[in-house]
């Protein structure tokens, strides 16, 4: 038996998983349209490389990764691109984002694929490139591009952790995936292990999923995988958080802002391993995922749904019940309420809960905090949520940061146990995004200061250089005069009108103006024949404006002349 | 929908339920109180409760806040009960009313209401009363069977509300000083601990009767810890330190310092350890902070009891330590997941 | 008596030496307070406070000539920060120009005549262009100071408020009112 470690706190909310984990994964029917956001992952948005009206095949690249930290987006089925525009996406803000709308043609015609029988023959760079081009991102919810995580830098990675804990209530998509596709998950894990040079693979699964544990264990034995172990971990929320699972399996604590690879561990979701295998072994990009449909539906179950499937069309296949007030994407602890029921499924959509009043009754109104510290007792990050609440509420952001606000993983355990019903996590989210905004504006201010100072110094330098040139000229003139003074035919210099510097300047300006006039007269406008009346009007308009500018400029020189 | 943001589910526990548990945990002690000292304590409990709820409602009304949710949270009732249990049962009705009203209005609502008061309201009420009306605060009831005479419940009511005793009975005949008070007075008169403890008002462990009341509070406190309403840190550190300090002095000079067990079972030690110091609003939030807080309170309690001017030091120790809570909290922040101590 | 005097004198000399040494050793170049204040200011260089830039305003605050509540782009938050920094009481905004939502300048390029007047006005060199060439604004460097707007002879520069997008979206302050306070 492997020694398991514990993490601080944690809660035991009702799991509500049995509703949806009895029926096998069902292929969702082809929706009427697919709305595919170009920004489904962490990093910069993908660049659209198709045009409206274009026909695309299933698996065809429609959004290319842009920059190091980015990921690709593909057409989930064959059909026609109907629009590339701003649409409401699966994001709590409800703000539209750039999406590609695809109308399926029903043929489901694949693009040419090259299945790879022997991936070991490929270089690691090639493997990572294929993962990136296949749009493989973390499917546990973080949607971080997987290729970027699959580097083994200078730090030696000992353990690859596969996360099959799935601690959030209601969600069973990983459970079903492990039950039905264990072999392929392990093949993906082998690729990941190879890329990371990891010694061992630990697959953590919460002990409330005995079928999944059995299936995975059978697959490990069957595949003769060495140093790969399926570990049943205690069921406790948030035991499926990456940091918490790493702690339970290896005893290593990964602090906020620290890369787990620096400590010799890397962690992936089981579904990510599965899609990595599909990408490498079958040349299939990430165009679908398993989604749990549960909550206020007659037949809760898991669907394999195409990315972009409108949520209401997907929920419709699970016999929705009346009284649904909205959809929650994710679980009840960390999920977000969707701004609309029609938003498309994205790579991060592991679960859609049809919410209704009887499932999620309105919370009792919030009462003052009595500092009972039930929140601190359950906090898996060992924070003092009551202090963070106090500082966030008072917008004392510096203090909140001092009390490790950014170590908060927003698991919601504190809000869950709060006897005063305070929306604690909401305060932390507010404080975090406020701090981020302030940091951004501070950065902008620093950049602006730098540019301003540079400009000032540039102007200063130009002035100095001018003055130096002038001084040099004058010096030369004086010397020349001195030379002339020695010669008899010298005249009294001050008598000459051009010796007066002001006169010289005015003369010069006059000359420049004359020159400009001459030039203006000399240059004939080109292409002025055969113009439409509209164009002529435009030219007249511009001429008028120019005339006005000259007027203004004249005024300015007058003023300058007087001063 | 449970609001617009996750988590969408919550554990069905509320402040009023927590406070209800604390009130329930007081029942064994109160029952034993009634058994040994008669039902007069129930009168002051009722009086204090009515006053607390009334004043709380009034204060909320003045501040233009919603009354019902706050009134239902049971915190005012708890303050009232703790204060009533600290006042002699035969105290005149206005003493209870003034104390409770002061506790709720000044020390709770003027500081911002529930969750914002730096001092334990019940102890503020007690401190105000013992400083303002010291004589009234020393007329404690004699346990059953010790006094020459005993009053009927009606006669007690008559005294509480009208200050009239039956003919021929003097107040001294039905009341006495507390065991701690008596001990202090007798020690001043150069008594020997062993002789003093032979006096009839002392029982097996501490005061006759009152030792049982303390045991009742201990029982309730254990229930609270078992129910995870309070953590073990404060009671254990308080009682442990009190025992240790008292034990040290007792070992050095048994003739002048009573046994540590006596200290645990007399005065407000048990009530304080489980019900007063553990008030979440006015105690530290970190486990280490709680240990420091309670241990310091115990030390202060002992120093006041043994060397101070007041027979019991619980209330003043609590208030003094309440002042230190923000400081203790700031210096006892626990380490954060994945970080070494003090690392930011 | 003499001993005491000598001792006192010796101590005085010693302490004087320490102070003198410290003055040289820990000498601070420039006025750190001005820099500290300047660090808090938003660096739009807009002059809406009545001073010709952020640094001059910072200097004026440090000298006690200017009030802390004159910076419109800094807004309420900026006043709070200044008040914290200087240990002063917060004051509501008291400047001449009211704070506006953060904006960037946009040149209507079909109207631009290439006069370079806006380039000369831009305090952060965020406008690209040359004489008689069309100008354009580098939006990411624009501080929204509006200084380029008045010099434009053809009024082709407009201020466009920055719209909320998913990238700059912020979680809002929880609106749940505590039941205890209506």
């Amino acid at each position: 038996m492997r020694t398991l470690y514990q993490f601080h706190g944690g809660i035991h909310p009702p799991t509500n998983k049995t509703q949806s984990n009895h029926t096998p994964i069902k292929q969702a029917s082809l929706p009427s349209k697919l709305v595919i956001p170009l920004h489904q992952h962490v990093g910069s948005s993908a660049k659209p490389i198709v045009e409206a009206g274009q026909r695309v095949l299933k698996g065809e690249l429609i959004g290319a990764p842009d920059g190091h930290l980015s990921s690709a987006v593909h057409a989930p089925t064959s059909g026609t691109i109907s629009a590339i525009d701003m649409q409401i996406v699966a994001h709590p803000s409800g703000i539209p984002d750039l999406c590609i709308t695809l109308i399926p043609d029903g043929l489901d015609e694949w693009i040419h694929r090259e299945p790879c029988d022997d991936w070991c023959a490929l270089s690691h760079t090639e493997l990572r490139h294929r993962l990136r081009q296949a749009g493989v991102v973390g499917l546990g919810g973080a949607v971080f591009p997987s290729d970027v995580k699959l580097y083994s830098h200078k730090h030696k990675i000992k353990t690859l952790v596969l996360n099959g804990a799935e601690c959030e209530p209601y969600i069973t998509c990983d459970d079903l995936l492990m039950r039905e596709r264990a072999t392929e998950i392990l093949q993906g894990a082998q690729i990941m292990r190879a890329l990371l040079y990891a010694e061992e693979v630990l697959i953590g699964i919460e002990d409330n999923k005995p079928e999944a544990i059995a299936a995975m264990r059978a697959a490990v034995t069957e595949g003769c995988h060495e140093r790969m172990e399926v570990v049943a971990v205690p069921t406790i929320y948030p035991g499926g958080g990456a940091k918490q699972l790493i702690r339970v399996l290896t005893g290593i604590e990964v602090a906020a802002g620290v890369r787990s690879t620096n400590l010799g561990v890397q962690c992936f979701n089981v579904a990510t391993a599965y899609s990595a295998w599909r990408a490498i072994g079958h040349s299939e990009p990430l165009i679908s995922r398993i989604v749990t449909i549960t909550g206020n539906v007659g037949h809760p179950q898991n669907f394999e749904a195409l990315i972009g499937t409108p949520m209401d069309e997907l929920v419709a296949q699970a016999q929705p019940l009346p009284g649904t007030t909205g959809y929650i994407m994710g679980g009840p602890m960390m999920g977000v309420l969707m701004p609309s029921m029609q938003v498309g499924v994205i790579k991060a959509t592991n679960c859609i809960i049809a919410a209704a009043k009887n499932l999620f009754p309105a919370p009792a109104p919030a009462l003052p905090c009595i500092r009972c510290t039930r929140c601190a007792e359950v906090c898996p990050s060992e924070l003092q949520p009551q202090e963070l609440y106090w500082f966030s509420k008072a917008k004392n952001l510096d203090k909140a940061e001092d009390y490790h606000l950014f170590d908060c993983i927003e698991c919601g355990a504190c809000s869950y146990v709060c006897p005063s019903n305070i929306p604690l996590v909401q305060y932390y989210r507010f404080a975090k995004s406020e701090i981020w905004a302030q940091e951004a504006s501070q950065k902008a201010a620093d950049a602006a200061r730098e540019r301003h100072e540079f400009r000032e110094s540039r102007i200063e330098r130009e002035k100095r250089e001018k003055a130096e040139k002038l001084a040099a000229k004058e010096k030369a003139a004086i010397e020349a005069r001195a030379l002339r003074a020695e010669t008899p035919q010298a005249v009294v210099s001050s008598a000459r009108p051009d010796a007066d510097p002001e006169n010289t300047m005015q003369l010069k300006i006059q000359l420049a103006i004359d020159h400009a006039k001459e030039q203006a007269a000399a240059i004939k406008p080109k292409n002025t024949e055969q113009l439409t009346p509209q164009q002529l009007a435009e030219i007249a308009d511009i001429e008028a404006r120019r005339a006005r500018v000259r007027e203004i400029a004249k005024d300015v020189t007058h003023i300058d002349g007087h001063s | 929908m449970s609001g617009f943001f996750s988590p969408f589910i919550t554990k069905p526990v509320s402040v009023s339920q927590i406070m209800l548990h604390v009130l329930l945990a007081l029942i064994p002690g109160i029952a034993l109180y009634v058994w040994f000292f008669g039902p007069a304590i129930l009168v002051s409990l009722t009086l204090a409760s009515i006053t607390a709820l009334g004043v709380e409602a009034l204060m909320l009304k003045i501040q233009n806040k919603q009354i019902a949710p706050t009134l239902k949270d049971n915190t005012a009732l708890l303050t009232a009960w703790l204060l009533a249990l600290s006042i002699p049962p035969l105290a005149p009705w206005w003493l209870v009313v003034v104390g409770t009203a002061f506790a709720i209005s000044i020390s709770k609502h003027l500081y911002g209401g529930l969750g914002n008061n730096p001092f334990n309201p019940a102890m503020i009420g007690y401190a105000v009363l013992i400083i303002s009306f010291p004589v009234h605060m020393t007329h404690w009831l004699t346990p059953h069977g010790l006094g020459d005479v005993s009053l009927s419940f009606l006669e007690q009511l008559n005294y509480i509300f009208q200050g009239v005793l039956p003919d021929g009975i003097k107040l001294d005949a039905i009341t006495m000083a507390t065991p701690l008070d008596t001990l202090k007075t007798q020690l001043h008169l150069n008594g020997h601990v062993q002789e003093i403890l032979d006096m009839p008002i002392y029982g097996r462990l501490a005061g006759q009767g009152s030792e049982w009341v303390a045991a009742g509070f201990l029982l309730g406190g254990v229930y609270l810890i078992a129910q995870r309403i309070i953590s073990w840190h404060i009671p254990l550190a308080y009682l442990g330190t009190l025992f240790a300090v008292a034990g040290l002095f007792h070992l050095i000079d048994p003739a002048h310092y009573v046994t540590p067990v006596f200290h645990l079972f007399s005065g407000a030690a048990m009530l304080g350890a489980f019900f007063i110091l553990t008030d979440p609003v006015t105690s530290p939030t970190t486990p280490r902070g709680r240990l420091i807080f309670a241990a310091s309170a115990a030390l202060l309690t002992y120093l006041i009891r043994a060397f101070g001017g007041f027979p019991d030091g619980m209330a003043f120790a609590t208030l003094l330590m309440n002042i230190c809570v923000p400081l203790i909290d700031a210096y006892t922040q626990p380490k954060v997941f994945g970080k070494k101590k003090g690392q930011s | 008596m003499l001993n005491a005097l000598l001792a006192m004198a010796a101590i005085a000399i010693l302490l004087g030496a320490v102070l003198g040494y410290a003055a040289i050793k820990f000498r601070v170049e420039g006025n750190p307070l001005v820099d500290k204040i300047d660090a808090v200011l938003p660096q739009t260089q807009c002059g809406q406070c009545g001073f010709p830039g952020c640094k001059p305003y910072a200097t004026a605050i440090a000298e006690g000539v200017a009030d802390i509540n004159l910076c419109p782009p800094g807004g309420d938050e900026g006043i709070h920060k200044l008040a914290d920094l200087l240990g002063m009481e917060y004051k509501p905004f008291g400047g001449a120009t009211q704070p506006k939502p953060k904006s960037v300048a946009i040149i209507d390029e079909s109207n631009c005549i290439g006069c370079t007047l806006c380039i000369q006005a831009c305090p952060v060199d965020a406008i690209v262009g040359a004489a008689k060439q069309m100008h354009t604004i580098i939006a990411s460097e624009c501080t929204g100071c509006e200084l380029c707007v008045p010099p434009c002879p053809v009024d082709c520069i407009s201020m466009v408020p920055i719209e909320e997008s998913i990238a700059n979206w912020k979680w809002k302050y929880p609106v749940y009112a505590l039941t205890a306070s209506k």
Side-chain angles (χ1 to χ4, degrees), chain B:
Chain B
M1 282 310 303
S2 158
F4 295 100
F5 308 108
S6 61
F8 299 96
I9 48 174
T10 53
K11 200 175 180 180
V13 160
S14 66
V15 173
S16 72
Q17 280 169 339
I18 292 173
M19 294 302 162
L20 195 65
H21 268 101
V22 181
L23 290 175
L24 282 177
L26 280 169
I27 301 279
I30 294 172
L32 287 161
Y33 207 124
V34 174
W35 177 262
F36 284 102
F37 297 92
I41 185 68
L42 297 178
V43 179
S44 24
L45 281 172
T46 316
L47 258 180
S49 302
I50 294 169
T51 314
L53 291 176
V55 173
E56 176 120 318
L58 184 72
M59 292 306 290
L60 291 167
K61 180 99 188 140
I62 292 172
Q63 296 170 74
N64 219 354
K65 290 179 178 175
Q66 282 184 21
I67 295 174
T70 311
L71 217 52
K72 274 190 260 170
D73 68 17
N74 291 333
T75 52
L77 270 187
L78 183 59
T79 301
W81 284 29
L82 291 176
L83 181 57
L85 288 172
S86 321
I87 301 175
L90 264 197
W93 65 272
W94 51 265
L95 197 71
V96 181
V97 170
V98 167
T100 315
F102 193 91
I104 298 290
S105 62
I106 307 287
S107 67
K108 182 174 174 186
H109 278 284
L110 284 199
Y111 282 99
L114 179 63
N116 295 309
N117 47 306
F119 300 105
N120 188 311
M123 289 303 100
I124 289 275
Y126 174 83
V128 166
L129 292 182
I130 201 157
I131 291 167
S132 314
F133 313 101
V135 179
H136 293 97
M137 290 293 280
T138 48
H139 295 304
W140 291 84
L141 272 176
T142 316
H144 282 314
L146 273 189
D148 308 328
V149 279
S150 63
L151 293 183
S152 71
F153 185 49
L154 265 181
E155 286 166 333
Q156 286 181 340
L157 278 182
N158 216 13
Y159 179 71
I160 292 171
F161 287 100
Q162 300 186 345
V164 183
L165 283 173
D167 287 342
I169 296 179
K170 286 196 169 169
L171 190 59
D172 287 348
I174 50 161
T175 64
M176 57 167 208
T178 62
L180 273 175
D181 207 356
T182 313
L183 177 72
K184 188 160 231 167
T185 322
Q186 293 299 324
L187 282 173
H188 267 294
L189 298 172
N190 283 326
H192 192 276
V193 164
Q194 223 40 58
E195 294 161 15
I196 301 168
L197 289 190
D198 283 340
M199 289 170 69
I201 68 159
Y202 293 104
R204 246 171 254 129
L205 303 173
Q208 180 82 327
S210 60
E211 61 191 13
W212 283 104
V213 177
F217 291 138
L218 172 64
L219 184 71
V222 171
Y223 165 78
L224 287 182
I225 292 177
Q227 288 285 309
R228 298 181 146 265
I229 302 284
I230 58 172
S231 74
W232 54 267
H233 300 84
I234 289 180
L236 193 76
Y238 182 81
L239 297 176
T241 311
L242 190 59
F243 187 90
V245 180
L248 187 71
F249 278 93
H250 182 67
L251 279 181
I252 294 169
D253 185 2
H256 287 99
Y257 299 100
V258 280
T259 60
V261 177
F262 180 93
H263 272 286
L264 294 190
F265 282 88
S266 54
M270 284 294 172
L271 186 67
F274 291 101
F275 295 92
I276 295 170
L277 285 169
T278 52
D279 169 26
V281 177
T282 57
S283 65
T285 53
T286 63
R288 234 161 27 101
R290 285 175 178 158
L291 294 177
I292 295 170
F293 169 80
S296 313
L299 192 65
L300 280 174
T301 308
Y302 187 80
L303 291 179
I304 297 171
R305 277 183 181 182
F307 308 106
F310 289 93
D312 195 358
M314 181 65 216
F316 293 107
T318 307
L319 294 175
L320 285 171
M321 288 317 295
N322 283 165
I323 303 176
C324 306
V325 166
L327 192 73
I328 295 174
D329 269 343
Y331 281 100
T332 56
Q333 284 301 311
K335 83 161 198 68
V336 170
F337 182 85
K339 288 186 178 160
K340 296 199 178 71
K341 253 206 93 60
Q343 186 188 347
S344 62

Side-chain angles (χ1 to χ4, degrees), chain A residues 71 131 136-139 144-151 192 268 272:
Chain A
S71 194
L131 288 175
V136 177
V137 297
L139 295 180
F144 195 90
S146 298
D147 57 298
V148 182
K149 273 174 81 182
L150 283 167
Y151 273 99
M192 291 172 161
F268 284 95
T272 317

Side-chain angles (χ1 to χ4, degrees), chain A residues 174-186 203 205 209-223 225 230:
Chain A
D174 290 347
D175 184 6
L176 268 286
L177 186 80
M178 289 186 288
R179 288 191 207 183
E180 298 185 9
R181 303 175 193 179
T183 316
E184 295 178 282
I185 293 173
L186 298 187
I203 304 160
I205 305 172
K209 293 182 254 303
E211 296 92 342
I213 295 172
M216 292 291 279
R217 283 199 173 137
V220 169
T221 321
E222 194 188 317
H225 296 292
V230 177

Side-chain angles (χ1 to χ4, degrees), chain A residues 85-370:
Chain A
D85 57 0
M86 305 297 272
Q87 302 244 12
I88 292 183
V89 294
H91 188 268
S93 67
I95 296 172
D97 203 13
L98 194 60
C99 292
I100 293 179
T101 309
L102 173 67
I103 307 294
D105 56 13
L107 301 173
D108 212 25
E109 189 183 335
W110 266 103
I111 195 170
H112 174 66
R113 282 169 292 166
E114 281 171 14
C116 170
D117 297 326
D118 183 21
W119 56 266
C120 295
L122 297 172
S123 75
H124 285 187
T125 319
E126 175 62 22
L127 283 173
R128 274 190 285 267
H129 179 72
R130 288 194 182 187
L131 288 175
R132 173 178 157 98
Q133 285 302 318
V136 177
V137 297
L139 295 180
V143 283
F144 195 90
S146 298
D147 57 298
V148 182
K149 273 174 81 182
L150 283 167
Y151 273 99
S152 170
H153 291 286
K154 34 190 182 285
H155 298 282
K156 182 133 184 57
I157 290 176
K158 182 170 172 274
T159 311
L160 166 64
V161 171
L162 272 204
N163 189 344
E166 202 169 54
C167 59
E168 269 245 22
Y170 286 95
I171 309 177
T172 57
C173 61
D174 290 347
D175 184 6
L176 268 286
L177 186 80
M178 289 186 288
R179 288 191 207 183
E180 298 185 9
R181 303 175 193 179
T183 316
E184 295 178 282
I185 293 173
L186 298 187
Q187 275 166 317
Q190 286 291 22
I191 298 174
M192 291 172 161
R193 161 148 70 176
L195 284 172
L196 292 168
Y197 301 100
E199 288 169 23
E200 55 170 1
V201 180
L202 297 180
I203 304 160
I205 305 172
E206 281 197 345
D207 54 16
N208 62 356
K209 293 182 254 303
E211 296 92 342
I213 295 172
M216 292 291 279
R217 283 199 173 137
V220 169
T221 321
E222 194 188 317
C224 299
H225 296 292
E226 276 179 27
R227 300 210 62 183
M228 190 182 266
E229 191 184 337
V230 177
V231 187
V233 298
T235 301
I236 183 168
Y237 180 85
K243 290 169 194 290
Q244 281 65 41
L245 188 64
I246 289 173
R247 161 82 190 154
V248 168
L249 291 176
T250 66
I252 295 169
E253 290 189 4
V254 184
V258 175
R259 285 208 188 116
S260 66
T261 46
N262 292 4
L263 304 170
V265 200
Q266 186 60 291
C267 179
F268 284 95
N269 185 269
V270 284
T272 317
Y274 171 77
S275 58
W277 167 247
R278 295 306 295 183
I280 300 292
H282 298 267
S283 181
E284 280 177 18
L286 182 49
I287 52 169
S288 67
R289 67 156 299 149
I290 316 296
V291 183
T292 309
I293 307 295
T294 183
N296 192 32
V297 290
H299 196 233
Q301 60 175 316
N302 284 280
F303 288 94
E304 176 148 21
L306 299 180
I307 304 300
T309 308
M311 287 186 180
D312 54 349
E313 288 193 34
L314 193 55
V315 174
Q317 297 170 48
Q319 298 167 15
L321 299 176
T324 297
T325 51
Y327 294 156
I328 296 167
M329 183 175 97
M333 294 302 295
M334 293 183 75
V336 283
L337 190 67
M338 290 293 100
S340 144
M341 292 199 191
Q342 283 86 42
V343 295
V345 166
I346 53 174
K347 291 175 183 175
T349 312
N350 48 5
C351 177
I352 300 169
I353 306 176
K357 283 214 165 63
N358 58 332
L359 290 174
F360 306 106
L367 291 167
C369 169
I370 57 165

